[in-house]
Amino acid sequence: MAERETWIILGATSSIARAFARLAAADGADLLLAGRDEADLERACGDLRARYGAKAEVFLFDAREPGDSRALAEAAAARPGTLNVAVFLGSMPEQTAIDVDPDLAAGVIADNFSGVVSALHRLAPLLEERGDGVVVGVGSVAGDRGRLKHYVYGASKAGFHAYLSGLRNRLARKGAHALTVKPGFVDTAMTWGEKAKPLMISPEAAAADIMRAAKRRQDVLYTPWFWRWIMGVVQLIPERVFKRLSF
Amino acid sequence: MTVWRDAALTGWGRALRASTRAARPERANQLIEALDAAGPSLCLYGAGRSYGDAALNSGGATVITSRLDRVLAFDEETGEIEVEPGAAIGGLLRDFGPRGWAPPVAPGTGFVTVAGAIANDVHGKNHHADGSFGQHVTQITLRTGGGETLTLQPEDEAFRATVGGVGLTGAILSARLRMRPIAGDKAFVRERRMPSLDAFIEAFTESDRRYSVGWVDAAATGATLGRGILEEGESTGEPSRERARRARAIPFDAPPFLLSASVVRAFNAAYYARIPKDGRTRVRPLSAFLFPLDALADWNRLYGKRGFHQFQCVVPPDATESLRAILAEAAGSGLASPLAVLKRLGPGSAGMLSFPMEGWTLTVDFPAAQASADLIGRLGATALDAGGRVYLAKDALLPPSAVPRMHPELDAFRAVCDRLDPEGRMTSDMARRLRIRRAADG
Ligand SMILES: Cc1cc2nc3c(=O)[nH]c(=O)nc-3n(C[C@H](O)[C@H](O)[C@H](O)COP(=O)(O)OP(=O)(O)OC[C@H]3O[C@@H](n4cnc5c(N)ncnc54)[C@H](O)[C@@H]3O)c2cc1C
């Protein structure tokens, strides 16, 4: 690498984010790990320093605090070279919990959508200015169609998908790029509490897939790949049939 | 809040399974939370590479530590490293090998976690030169069954109980160990045909290489009994033409005929003949040499749905006739799979219940079936009669009476467990089956 490169990782404590940060560090990039759990983020930074000699720092960031986005953009602006941003942030309470307490919806939308958008929207001008860099936005196959089981979560991810496609259009004009990632079932803490799922992949496999797609500047990535086909079928089901399904 | 899930966990041999309430924390504070909330019956689980029931806990709670895999500190000068319990041995080699440091001891698969390596005081192809894993551990942070966090040094009794203690002293929260300097992350590998057991024994005795291991044709009988291939290695910085491989998955359980006696015999003959008569020398990635099976993910499915048992024993250096008898009985049974391994062990071990002792260790796989279980029982008895041991990391079948015979320090071990865990929370299917913690009840 001729110039310095930084990966800013939002939601850096998630298991896919951890694996992704290791791949970036192994490539020689600097890391800014953003999230809420300072002690855990410090451990993650220590790991990247020890394993890869990476320059890794913690940035305390809460998607529900508008001030944090501003501070993050300032910290990013102070870094030389290429800026990349990967968003692994998100939360997924049970739909039934939201049904009981609708106030939970606002938090889910902040974590998965509005908070992330306000951060990315402050970072986007920096990527434009520098004329390179990649935004990786991790959405979900749940955002492809609202399902009974997870539709508040799905709606927030669908909003994020639409935002990313607009951002991609904007960044492309200035030499930067945005990648939309739609993971299927990945074996993470989020899926641990649920029933065992078929076709599960490891966080490491998902992270490797995402890094490959980011380097190739792919637009939309389903990981693992066959989810593109599964969701293609799910989207073809007519609404009058779909509304009776409960998966 | 800890998320518990009803899970069916299996040992690597897939012959034994357990229905358990499992948690898989990803952060240090969540680990403590899970341990404290686990209830009266608790077992730790790493990468699940023990073959039998060492990490299983039917009807109780299991805390899986494989997701806690961060390196906490590394000293470039001394090679001392501190890691979370779930750090995989193979990952340490991948990341530190290029900088000239290797995990001090590597078992035959890189998926094994540091805590799992401590809990079974594992040995590697360099045991005769470098001893067991626990001998390189300089500090263990342990959360006892009683809920205390202790920092243990090698001279502490509790340290010697935790190393090789199959998880029964408590949960390892982190560990410090000394990595070993290597010339490079490649290996000079010399392979030679060994026409008989005697040839093997002689060659092992003379070998002066850092790494040595023997593949044995466990289907060969009579004059060719114990024939095989001796692999010796030495780390090097020379380039290798072999590329590190991505693991390929085995997507289904194999049909039973794959392990029928005639298929195994044919496979073994071809495997033996593959090495030229006067041997060969190659430069290979060190990881490919140390972890030969890791290129095939989930290879345990090759044994089909019913799973398999791995038998591993060690007998003292001069008990070569017992070794021959064990091998002859295994070979004569027609049950053995192609995976048989012979190695010379040195005296090194670091725990009260450690497996390694000076002598000959033999490892053979058998498909799970009553005939195999009976045979393994006889093989184990021969090894114990010779003053040897059977390896708990592999075992699913020993009787409780074997444990005090193999491990003279058992009483001291039990006393430490009682002190650290007065309520007896730490347990496992193995602990109950073998009555490791208590002589009488379960
Ligand atoms: C292909 C293959 C090759 C092998 N080759 C060798 C070899 O050459 N030499 C050798 O010695 N062994 C070998 N083994 C066995 C393996 O090294 C041991 O079984 C090892 O203990 C497995 O570690 P694990 O991380 O998978 O732990 P598990 O198998 O999940 O658990 C092993 C033990 O560690 C305990 N444990 C796990 N985590 C913790 C924790 N955080 N705190 C306290 N206790 C814990 C468990 O309770 C259990 O008793 C091999 C296994 C395989 C599958």
Side-chain angles (χ1 to χ4, degrees):
Chain A
M1 241 183 344
E3 235 193 318
R4 292 226 71 85
E5 180 175 14
T6 300
W7 273 99
I8 299 169
I9 307 216
L10 300 186
T13 43
S14 90
S15 49
I16 309 179
R18 278 186 197 176
F20 186 85
R22 281 187 178 165
L23 294 174
D27 271 355
D30 298 341
L31 274 302
L32 194 61
L33 302 187
R36 286 181 307 184
D37 185 341
E38 186 169 12
D40 189 69
L41 292 168
E42 282 298 350
R43 281 199 172 204
C45 280
D47 179 72
L48 300 173
R49 286 184 210 118
R51 286 183 192 262
Y52 309 107
K55 264 188 67 193
E57 285 168 45
V58 172
F59 189 91
L60 284 183
F61 175 84
D62 185 339
R64 302 184 187 187
E65 294 288 341
D68 288 1
S69 291
R70 275 193 295 276
L72 178 65
E74 280 164 26
R79 291 179 167 257
T82 303
L83 287 178
N84 305 302
V85 190
V87 181
F88 292 93
L89 211 96
S91 65
M92 186 177 71
E94 289 294 327
Q95 178 68 42
T96 47
I98 302 173
D99 296 345
V100 173
D101 179 6
D103 288 347
L104 289 178
V108 178
I109 292 166
D111 292 344
N112 296 323
F113 180 47
S114 54
V116 172
V117 166
S118 76
L120 286 180
H121 228 63
R122 288 184 195 281
L123 292 167
L126 295 171
L127 273 76
E128 285 186 309
E129 215 175 277
R130 300 190 188 187
D132 59 4
V134 177
V135 170
V136 172
V138 177
S140 168
V141 293
D144 280 357
R145 197 154 189 188
R147 294 185 299 121
L148 186 64
K149 280 247 178 76
H150 283 309
Y151 62 92
V152 172
Y153 173 77
S156 65
K157 289 293 191 182
F160 188 36
H161 294 169
Y163 174 79
L164 286 167
S165 102
L167 183 66
R168 176 159 45 247
N169 195 320
R170 169 179 168 185
L171 293 178
R173 290 152 207 271
K174 298 283 171 63
H177 179 66
L179 160 68
T180 307
V181 180
K182 300 183 183 180
F185 299 142
V186 185
D187 190 7
T188 63
M190 215 189 237
T191 49
W192 178 256
E194 305 177 0
K195 276 206 311 260
K197 294 248 171 62
L199 313 173
M200 196 89 116
I201 59 168
S202 69
E204 288 75 19
D209 226 14
I210 295 169
M211 183 56 97
R212 207 175 311 118
K215 284 188 177 159
R216 283 195 201 138
R217 298 202 153 201
Q218 199 171 317
D219 295 324
V220 178
L221 169 75
Y222 283 84
T223 177
W225 58 271
F226 48 74
W227 277 92
R228 174 181 293 277
W229 300 97
I230 297 176
M231 293 321 292
V233 171
V234 169
Q235 279 170 312
L236 282 176
I237 303 172
E239 198 62 27
R240 102 191 106 72
V241 178
F242 195 76
K243 72 182 180 195
R244 290 179 224 281
L245 302 179
S246 49
F247 64 95
Chain B
M1 207 191 56
T2 307
V3 180
W4 297 95
R5 153 180 177 173
D6 291 326
L9 297 178
T10 69
W12 187 246
R14 297 172 79 223
L16 299 184
R17 30 193 94 227
S19 296
T20 181
R21 224 160 34 91
R24 191 182 61 191
E26 296 192 339
R27 307 182 196 182
N29 59 344
Q30 295 172 344
L31 171 57
I32 303 279
E33 249 174 59
L35 295 170
D36 289 353
S41 165
L42 167 62
C43 175
L44 278 303
Y45 187 100
R49 256 57 184 191
S50 295
Y51 283 75
D53 50 5
L56 302 183
N57 191 21
S58 304
T62 305
V63 175
I64 303 171
T65 54
S66 60
R67 289 287 163 110
L68 291 141
D69 70 343
R70 269 85 59 95
V71 174
L72 301 172
F74 177 63
D75 185 333
E76 194 90 46
E77 300 292 304
T78 62
E80 180 142 312
I81 194 169
E82 182 172 12
V83 295
E84 291 185 323
I89 302 288
L92 296 181
L93 179 60
R94 179 197 61 215
D95 292 334
F96 294 92
R99 285 146 73 182
W101 295 100
V105 166
T109 168
F111 292 106
V112 166
T113 66
V114 165
I118 292 173
N120 272 315
D121 196 13
V122 303
H123 58 272
K125 296 178 173 64
N126 59 343
H127 185 269
H128 58 285
D130 297 311
S132 70
F133 194 87
Q135 291 182 281
H136 304 269
V137 176
T138 53
Q139 184 177 297
I140 295 172
T141 308
L142 186 79
R143 182 83 168 178
T144 66
E148 250 186 301
T149 299
L150 304 178
T151 305
L152 307 177
Q153 318 293 338
E155 57 278 9
D156 296 337
E157 277 225 302
F159 183 101
R160 294 193 55 248
T162 300
V163 173
V166 278
L168 297 177
T169 58
I172 296 167
L173 304 179
S174 65
R176 294 183 76 88
L177 49 124
R178 258 181 265 110
M179 301 268 268
R180 204 163 51 73
I182 49 174
D185 65 352
K186 308 291 185 298
F188 264 125
V189 181
R190 179 160 72 143
E191 291 162 292
R192 283 183 289 159
R193 287 190 192 178
M194 296 287 127
S196 67
L197 184 61
D198 290 329
F200 247 133
I201 288 174
E202 196 183 319
F204 265 122
T205 311
E206 280 166 11
S207 175
D208 56 357
R209 303 300 168 95
R210 188 125 217 164
Y211 304 103
S212 63
V213 66
W215 167 79
V216 177
D217 177 353
T221 51
T224 57
L225 179 75
R227 74 164 177 182
I229 310 288
L230 176 66
E231 287 187 35
E232 297 166 281
E234 203 70 62
S235 68
T236 171
E238 299 262 316
S240 163
R241 266 180 295 161
E242 191 177 329
R243 293 207 303 151
R245 287 160 301 179
R246 255 187 85 180
R248 267 186 274 177
I250 295 178
F252 52 83
D253 298 335
F257 71 83
L258 215 57
L259 289 170
S260 67
S262 51
V263 173
V264 169
R265 218 173 300 122
F267 175 88
N268 284 8
Y271 197 83
Y272 181 77
R274 166 188 71 98
I275 303 299
K277 274 208 185 60
D278 41 3
R280 69 171 176 191
T281 303
R282 304 182 281 167
V283 178
R284 307 192 63 194
L286 187 54
S287 60
F289 170 64
L290 292 176
F291 313 129
L293 290 166
D294 287 0
L296 272 185
D298 301 332
W299 59 263
N300 52 350
R301 302 187 73 170
L302 282 176
Y303 286 88
K305 260 205 194 56
R306 297 176 65 184
F308 65 109
H309 295 300
Q310 183 167 94
F311 170 75
Q312 181 172 4
C313 68
V314 57
V315 297
D318 53 6
T320 50
E321 284 321 305
S322 302
L323 176 66
R324 196 183 310 276
I326 290 168
L327 195 52
E329 183 153 16
S333 72
L335 291 166
S337 87
L339 270 175
V341 174
L342 178 67
K343 168 149 186 62
R344 168 109 205 197
L345 293 184
S349 77
M352 293 174 174
L353 302 190
S354 291
F355 169 73
M357 58 182 262
E358 184 157 31
W360 302 99
T361 179
L362 178 71
T363 309
V364 192
D365 287 1
F366 301 96
Q370 191 53 48
S372 301
D374 296 343
L375 173 66
I376 289 171
R378 293 195 299 275
L379 302 181
T382 309
L384 263 58
D385 288 343
R389 290 178 184 147
V390 170
Y391 195 2
L392 295 182
K394 312 295 179 75
D395 177 61
L397 297 162
L398 277 176
S401 58
V403 185
R405 288 184 67 195
M406 307 194 302
H407 298 294
E409 290 189 80
L410 181 62
D411 285 337
F413 176 80
R414 286 175 171 162
V416 173
C417 288
D418 288 345
R419 182 160 57 79
L420 301 183
D421 177 25
E423 286 166 37
R425 292 175 74 216
M426 306 307 307
T427 183
S428 65
D429 286 355
M430 170 173 275
R432 288 186 291 268
R433 173 170 61 87
L434 294 177
R435 299 189 201 129
I436 297 178
R437 288 204 54 178
R438 226 160 296 290
D441 58 60

